[in-house]
Amino acid sequence: MATDIKAPQFPESVADGTVATWHKKEGEAVKRDELLVDIETDKVVLEVVAPMDGVLTKILKGEDATVESQEVLGQLEAGASASVSAPAEEKPQAEAPAAEAQGGDDDGDAQAGPAARKLMSEHGLSAADIKGTGAKGRITKEDVEKALANKQQSPSSASAPAPAAAPAPAAGEREERRVPMTRLRKRIAERLVAAQQDAAMLTTFNEVNMKPIMDMRKHYQSEFEKSHGVRLGFMSFFTRACVEALKRFPAVNASIDGDDIVYHGYYDVGMAVSTERGLVVPVMRDADQKGLAEIESQIIEFGTKARDGKLSIEEMTGGTFTISNGGIFGSLLSTPILNPPQTAILGMHKIQERPMAVDGEVKILPMMYLALSYDHRIIDGKEAVQFLVAVKNFIEDPARLLLDI
């Protein structure tokens, strides 16, 4: 009896999705909970697994097809694996090693992200052909593209006569490559344009002396890591500093709903994370109730899930304020764009030693530029500047966080 393979139930904020990659072909045997197909939405890639052992008998929605919640993607025949195993036994013995090699690639392919797996499938590559440079050897889309480039440059196999090669591009010819935007990239583009069109966005800047925090980290790093099992980073200090500043300036933690201003009595801080698919913003709920170690642990968890495409829609929904750290990529200064319906976002940047005047003397200090973009419709310049100064004071004198001053 055939069983329908259906798309997941999408949240209300997601209208539909796109079939990104089928990991099985019609007629292939599958096992229960084995990955069948990836569905790409505006926010995340959802994985659809096999509900039982059987054979994928029919694919009703091919790759790039648009699907809605609970729409039938294909059909699975339960208990039909024996019917496809007989023809496999009739194949010559010489094909057995190839089949074994293909089976051995399944675990390796699981170490690749959805975009990388799709590109590998399109070009007939396996995980054994590619060296992963991501976390824990994970294969990224860039790794696949690099492998394809190397493959094109390598000499063709001598086992068979090579087909007539396409004419090489003439010297000086400029090559172009057209690639459709992913749903996530299109959604990011729409939201960024909307943020600039719908909000009266303005950015104020300041700079912060990072030496006190750096000295504290150096002094307590080993004890902190031994006690909590996680390293002490800068993001936890900035998260705590922002939360304390938000308590003093509620408008920065507010949002606009029509003609109303909604003041949030909680502090859900979004953490902008860059992935191979685009920028995502997982949300740390109730950040005011978390200690430095808990914040650091959740940041690491967010980063791992984002790279693996495992963030849920719930983890990226909501948020009252966002922090973006472009400094990890070397950015010295930037103007972050609002994440609607939020009314403010803090941009962190690269730490750079600069000569600073301190008590009439020139000292070399590790300085960081901070940028606060805000919606001028509900946040006045005075509030924005005072908020940023409060964050600066908390970072330059961390004791203020403990003394609540």
Side-chain angles (χ1 to χ4, degrees):
M1 180 177 178
T3 300
D4 289 339
I5 302 167
K6 296 183 178 181
Q9 179 65 47
F10 301 147
E12 292 183 2
S13 60
V14 177
D16 53 33
T18 299
V19 178
T21 307
W22 274 98
H23 299 282
K24 293 291 181 180
K25 299 178 181 178
E26 289 186 357
E28 280 195 72
V30 299
K31 295 182 179 180
R32 180 184 175 89
D33 295 330
E34 189 173 4
L35 179 60
L36 294 178
V37 59
D38 292 326
I39 306 295
E40 185 176 6
T41 70
D42 294 344
K43 298 181 177 180
V44 295
V45 173
L46 303 174
E47 296 181 342
V48 179
V49 300
M52 64 187 76
D53 294 348
V55 171
L56 180 62
T57 56
K58 187 177 295 185
I59 294 177
L60 300 176
K61 293 289 183 177
E63 294 182 1
D64 298 326
T66 300
V67 296
E68 298 179 352
S69 291
Q70 297 296 299
E71 187 169 354
V72 178
L73 307 173
Q75 291 184 334
L76 184 70
E77 188 76 25
S81 57
S83 64
V84 296
S85 61
E89 293 174 358
E90 295 174 3
K91 293 182 180 180
Q93 291 288 333
E95 295 186 11
E100 292 173 3
Q102 182 178 355
D105 287 339
D106 289 344
D107 292 338
D109 289 348
Q111 297 301 315
R117 290 200 299 265
K118 182 176 181 181
L119 198 58
M120 289 162 61
S121 176
E122 291 174 351
H123 294 275
L125 295 177
S126 67
D129 302 322
I130 303 167
K131 181 180 180 181
T133 61
K136 298 182 180 179
R138 188 173 181 80
I139 298 173
T140 66
K141 183 178 179 181
E142 288 73 17
D143 295 332
V144 181
E145 292 175 344
K146 183 177 180 181
L148 288 173
N150 293 337
K151 184 178 180 181
Q152 291 173 355
Q153 293 174 2
S154 62
S156 57
S157 173
S159 59
E173 183 176 342
R174 295 179 296 177
E175 185 179 354
E176 289 184 348
R177 187 165 61 98
R178 188 182 296 270
V179 180
M181 278 190 183
T182 63
R183 290 179 66 94
L184 177 61
R185 177 55 62 187
K186 285 189 285 188
R187 183 59 174 161
I188 291 172
E190 291 169 2
R191 288 176 64 85
L192 293 180
V193 171
Q196 292 183 305
Q197 291 179 340
D198 298 340
M201 195 173 76
L202 192 64
T203 304
T204 185
F205 302 94
N206 214 316
E207 58 184 352
V208 58
N209 176 14
M210 295 295 293
K211 191 175 189 305
I213 293 293
M214 294 174 74
D215 289 344
M216 181 181 291
R217 288 180 70 227
K218 183 177 180 180
H219 185 75
Y220 292 106
Q221 183 69 271
S222 59
E223 292 182 50
F224 186 89
E225 189 171 1
K226 184 177 180 180
S227 298
H228 302 289
V230 63
R231 290 182 61 81
L232 181 60
F234 295 126
M235 283 296 293
S236 55
F237 285 105
F238 275 95
T239 302
R240 289 295 305 165
C242 286
V243 167
E244 293 304 318
L246 290 172
K247 292 178 180 178
R248 290 157 173 76
F249 302 95
V252 185
N253 196 49
S255 60
I256 295 179
D257 185 11
D259 294 330
D260 298 329
I261 299 176
V262 181
Y263 290 94
H264 305 291
Y266 49 89
Y267 306 92
D268 292 349
V269 180
M271 304 286 180
V273 179
S274 179
T275 72
E276 63 182 33
R277 296 181 56 244
L279 188 70
V280 294
V281 187
V283 178
M284 183 179 295
R285 312 288 179 186
D286 299 317
D288 58 315
Q289 301 176 22
K290 292 178 168 59
L292 297 178
E294 194 173 358
I295 292 173
E296 291 292 348
S297 296
Q298 192 158 3
I299 290 173
I300 293 173
E301 180 183 352
F302 282 156
T304 302
K305 285 187 174 181
R307 286 191 296 270
D308 295 344
K310 301 295 185 182
L311 283 171
S312 67
I313 293 178
E314 290 74 19
E315 288 175 311
M316 294 189 289
T317 302
T320 61
F321 182 80
T322 295
I323 300 175
S324 177
N325 185 7
I328 59 176
F329 303 111
S331 172
L332 185 62
L333 190 63
S334 66
T335 55
I337 298 178
L338 296 176
N339 184 22
Q342 298 170 23
T343 54
I345 178 173
L346 179 76
M348 298 167 54
H349 298 91
K350 177 184 178 182
I351 300 173
Q352 189 173 58
E353 289 191 341
R354 296 202 297 273
M356 305 295 295
V358 180
D359 297 329
E361 297 181 359
V362 176
K363 293 186 178 181
I364 305 300
L365 296 175
M367 303 298 294
M368 176 193 287
Y369 286 120
L370 297 180
L372 179 75
S373 293
Y374 60 98
D375 193 339
H376 213 334
R377 291 178 297 172
I378 66 171
I379 301 175
D380 294 329
K382 177 183 176 182
E383 286 179 298
V385 171
Q386 289 179 328
F387 173 88
L388 197 54
V389 169
V391 173
K392 169 186 170 70
N393 290 338
F394 285 130
I395 296 299
E396 292 186 341
D397 188 4
R400 290 174 176 268
L401 294 172
L402 298 175
L403 300 174
D404 194 23
I405 58 176

